[in-house]
Amino acid sequence: MNIPFLGQWLNRHETEHGEALAAALSDDPEGVGEMFAECELLRAQARAAGLELDGTPASLEALDQLMPRWRRDPESVPWLGNDAGFYLGTVIIKTLSGCGWQVWPNGQPVIRLASGRELNVVECGVSWAVTGSPELSQTYAEASEG
């Protein structure tokens, strides 16, 4: 079904969301970064498996080794993937110099690496949660190479 005004309405609201997040990031980058770092669902899953997420690359490797029991609940997979992406971004920013959060016009938060390349960590996290690939540690390694 083609409803022209609906497409325009959706695009306008995506742009408004993106502008609001970009403004928040500009005004309070540390606060937004802390919010992204919360990752409550991912932390709960990791804790249940005996893993504490400490913001290190080693914790990404440990996450990659977890049994993906969350795949039994298809409703939680996108949320867990979103958290995994935010956690990956948090580790990158914490451990690699010159990196930071950016927001695309559609509202998608991404990591801008020191090289200027942008990495859609949320997309990587969702893919990891759904299929196990790419591994979070592999994405981190590629980001650290520049």
Side-chain angles (χ1 to χ4, degrees), residues 46-61:
R47 202 171 301 112
L51 173 64
E52 280 299 318
L53 300 181
D54 60 3
T56 63
S59 66
L60 296 172
E61 292 174 18

Side-chain angles (χ1 to χ4, degrees), residues 56-71:
T56 63
S59 66
L60 296 172
E61 292 174 18
L63 280 170
D64 288 337
Q65 301 305 312
L66 290 181
M67 290 296 294
R69 291 185 173 91
W70 57 82
R71 290 190 191 136

Side-chain angles (χ1 to χ4, degrees), residues 25-138:
L25 188 59
S26 176
D27 292 344
D28 187 10
E30 288 182 26
V32 172
E34 287 176 18
M35 180 185 69
F36 288 164
E38 287 179 4
C39 314
E40 289 181 31
L41 182 59
L42 180 69
R43 289 181 188 280
Q45 289 281 337
R47 202 171 301 112
L51 173 64
E52 280 299 318
L53 300 181
D54 60 3
T56 63
S59 66
L60 296 172
E61 292 174 18
L63 280 170
D64 288 337
Q65 301 305 312
L66 290 181
M67 290 296 294
R69 291 185 173 91
W70 57 82
R71 290 190 191 136
R72 294 179 192 150
D73 180 7
E75 289 184 20
S76 71
V77 170
W79 296 104
L80 183 71
N82 197 57
D83 275 8
F86 283 132
Y87 184 70
L88 171 62
T90 299
V91 173
I92 289 171
I93 288 172
K94 182 178 176 182
T95 60
L96 301 177
S97 63
C99 299
W101 289 106
Q102 296 291 310
V103 178
W104 285 343
N106 68 355
Q108 179 67 48
V110 298
I111 296 293
R112 179 178 285 275
L113 302 174
S115 66
R117 188 179 112 208
E118 292 178 340
L119 178 61
N120 188 340
V121 290
V122 172
E123 183 178 87
C124 293
V126 169
S127 179
W128 172 82
V130 171
T131 67
S133 177
E135 291 184 336
L136 299 174
S137 60
Q138 175 187 349

